[in-house]
C-alpha cells in the first residue's frame, strides 16, 4: 500500500466508522480535504497540551 496522507487516512477511516472522533494536528495549515473527513478539531502545531485535554474531556463526556 502506498503511503497515505493524514487526510487520506481519515477518509478511509470514515468509510468504516462514521462516528470515530478525528483530530488533525498540522504544521502546514488547514487543508480543504480535512473538512471532507468531518474532524472533531484541526489543531495547528505547536500543539498546546491544554487543547488536547479539552478535546479528550469532550470526547470522554460524549459532548
Amino acid at each position: 500500500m502506498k503511503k497515505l496522507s493524514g487526510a487520506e487516512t481519515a477518509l478511509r477511516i470514515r468509510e468504516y466508522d462514521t462516528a470515530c472522533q478525528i483530530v488533525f494536528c498540522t504544521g502546514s495549515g488547514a487543508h480543504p480535504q480535512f473538512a471532507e473527513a468531518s474532524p472533531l478539531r484541526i489543531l495547528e502545531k505547536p500543539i498546546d497540551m491544554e487543547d488536547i485535554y479539552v478535546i479528550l474531556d469532550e470526547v470522554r463526556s460524549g459532548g
Side-chain angles (χ1 to χ4, degrees), residues 2-12 24 31 33-34:
K2 69 175 185 154
K3 288 187 177 184
L4 300 175
S5 69
E8 292 168 329
T9 301
L11 289 173
R12 290 210 178 170
F24 287 107
H31 298 277
Q33 66 268 30
F34 288 173

Side-chain angles (χ1 to χ4, degrees), residues 19-57:
C20 177
Q21 300 296 338
I22 295 173
V23 176
F24 287 107
C25 300
T26 180
S28 59
H31 298 277
Q33 66 268 30
F34 288 173
E36 294 177 46
S38 300
L40 178 64
R41 296 276 192 287
I42 300 172
L43 299 177
E44 295 276 337
K45 292 178 184 175
I47 305 300
D48 183 342
M49 284 307 296
E50 187 59 34
D51 291 337
I52 299 293
Y53 299 141
V54 168
I55 290 168
L56 290 173
D57 286 342

